[in-house]
Amino acid sequence: TNLEIYKLLVEDVRDARKARRELSNVFTTLNLAGIGALGFLSSANGLPNPVLFTLCALALTFTCAIWRTSNSYYTVLLAAKYKNIYAIEDDLGVHPIRDEWQSITGKRRTMKWWSLERAMPVLFIIGYAMFFAVHVGGWDVAGSLNALVDGAAGALRSAGVPI
């Protein structure tokens, strides 16, 4: 019956959401361990080998790309599952899941295209790029930040804002 299929689909959505959450936990753990490894490789007690550091940073960046792709896959998969659930709700004449989603959509509308789960792989990649720029490329972070602050202060002074 449609009710049995509905129950099965709702359970399937729950399982897919759980799998996505567990996959994100694995990738988060892997990247946190990777940050520790990069920190060790760049320390005085580590292995001051820029090639090894670079390969490690590239491998971690690649895992973030896989993580982001996996997130996108689960987003598409869940959208298809919800579409099927909504169709069965139409047949059943009740819409509990659709109604619940619509009641929270207004609160989430501003966050529709951003979520921590989607942002994490990108944030890790940015972190690896900055770590690489500092430890292999010799980027002077303090000098860059000072120049940024001086530029912002100059712009504020030009606009007549007292500093």
Side-chain angles (χ1 to χ4, degrees):
T1 68
N2 274 353
L3 184 58
E4 294 301 317
I5 294 171
Y6 181 78
K7 289 178 184 178
L8 180 65
L9 285 172
V10 169
E11 185 66 29
D12 198 30
V13 164
R14 184 179 304 129
D15 290 343
R17 291 176 64 103
K18 182 180 177 184
R20 179 175 67 179
R21 190 171 39 251
E22 289 173 358
L23 187 64
S24 287
N25 288 342
V26 167
F27 277 113
T28 300
T29 302
L30 178 65
N31 278 281
L32 290 174
I35 288 171
L38 288 177
F40 173 73
L41 289 173
S42 65
S43 71
N45 296 333
L47 303 170
N49 183 338
V51 173
L52 184 59
F53 182 90
T54 302
L55 291 175
C56 186
L58 287 174
L60 289 165
T61 300
F62 184 65
T63 63
C64 287
I66 293 170
W67 184 7
R68 181 73 171 115
T69 303
S70 298
N71 282 342
S72 296
Y73 165 76
Y74 277 110
T75 299
V76 170
L77 176 70
L78 287 168
K81 290 182 183 300
Y82 279 115
K83 182 179 177 184
N84 291 334
I85 287 173
Y86 294 163
I88 292 177
E89 284 181 345
D90 288 339
D91 289 344
L92 293 173
V94 293
H95 306 92
I97 292 180
R98 184 183 303 164
D99 292 345
E100 178 183 336
W101 175 251
Q102 288 175 347
S103 72
I104 65 171
T105 300
K107 297 172 187 164
R108 294 186 50 160
R109 191 167 305 281
T110 57
M111 300 296 282
K112 184 177 181 181
W113 299 110
W114 187 91
S115 72
L116 188 58
E117 183 178 53
R118 291 179 183 167
M120 287 299 288
V122 175
L123 293 174
F124 274 114
I125 289 172
I126 291 169
Y128 296 140
M130 291 179 71
F131 209 3
F132 179 81
V134 169
H135 290 287
V136 175
W139 179 36
D140 179 17
V141 178
S144 296
L145 289 176
N146 286 336
L148 181 65
V149 169
D150 291 343
L156 289 172
R157 278 190 213 98
S158 296
V161 177
I163 297 179

